[in-house]
Amino acid sequence: MEKTPMYADSVTAVPSPAPLPTDDPAPPGAAPASGRRRLLWHLGEMALAMVAGMLLLGPLWELAGTALGVGDSLARPEVAALVMATNMTVGMTVAMRYRAHRWHAVGEMAAAMYVPFLLLFLPFRVGLIDADALLLGGHLLMIPAMVLVALRHRHQPSAPVRRHRVVVALAHRWPAGLALLLTVDMWVDPSVLSPWTMLVLPGGYLVIGMARRTLAGRGVLATQLAGLAIWVALILVAVLAGGRTADWLVAFGWLAHAGWDVAHHRNRRVVPRSYAEFCAVLDVALAAVMVLAILTTDA
């Protein structure tokens, strides 16, 4: 049975939003697939946390490098690799501590971020590999290293954890936070996306619906195909119109799709609620960025 962590600043028990890989081992009669799902969920969370760390901290490194006049040093491949590992480690640490992993497990996972790059520094310095191979190879070696650490600690008991209600509430809204992180750079240099990017809007629902086999309900597939037809028509009109009219149509298309996301978030059909929440926030943010780009550029 899944544990329900108690929060020291709350008189009630707050259930964990997802299975913890640090839970007690499954009983003898439980299916082995359950342990695999927990492991995959844990690794997926780590990947999302690492991406969030890079998206959030990457621009801060650039600003600091420019302000301190060390931008060229930060751009060196070895330094860039260590900065990237640091950004991923920060995101991963926050996620693991929220999930009540103990510090030595966090330390081993942090080593899985740094060691792959450190191992490749010597081949890079002697000219056996280039900068691209250094970064790509470090990321590829990172995957088995993370899996080994996750397997090593998969049955470790949870550490005492203290979470404020605000932290718990924000953690439950992680899809919205991830969507906002993805648009941070776009606010600095706003631009209008190509009309063809709107194919992603209905296409994502159809692909996920087929994968989850949630299109078989009454009228579900017809609704999704109707949405596809509407956005394809909007794309064609935007392409034919061109210019400022096309820009406004693209911004409107992304904003309108947020309503589609909200409807699916409420009825819990076709896609997971987390995906619908992520898409709704991302659609609104991108639409706002495009409106800003339209209003701040000459016709």
Side-chain angles (χ1 to χ4, degrees), residues 125-144:
R125 296 291 299 200
V126 300
L128 296 178
I129 60 175
D130 58 13
D132 292 336
L134 170 66
L135 294 177
L136 178 59
H139 283 90
L140 291 177
L141 291 175
M142 197 180 294
I143 296 173

Side-chain angles (χ1 to χ4, degrees), residues 117-199:
F117 290 117
L118 295 175
L119 290 175
L120 295 176
F121 277 1
L122 180 59
F124 172 73
R125 296 291 299 200
V126 300
L128 296 178
I129 60 175
D130 58 13
D132 292 336
L134 170 66
L135 294 177
L136 178 59
H139 283 90
L140 291 177
L141 291 175
M142 197 180 294
I143 296 173
M146 291 175 60
V147 173
L148 289 175
V149 174
L151 286 172
R152 169 174 157 76
H153 295 282
R154 66 188 183 279
H155 297 320
Q156 185 186 62
S158 302
V161 61
R162 182 183 180 89
R163 303 175 190 152
H164 195 276
R165 290 181 182 273
V166 174
V167 174
V168 176
L170 290 175
H172 287 177
R173 297 275 71 84
W174 68 265
L178 181 61
L180 292 175
L181 283 175
L182 289 174
T183 62
V184 169
D185 289 344
M186 300 178 184
W187 290 98
V188 178
D189 185 21
S191 61
V192 179
L193 299 177
S194 166
W196 296 106
T197 59
M198 287 192 288
L199 283 175

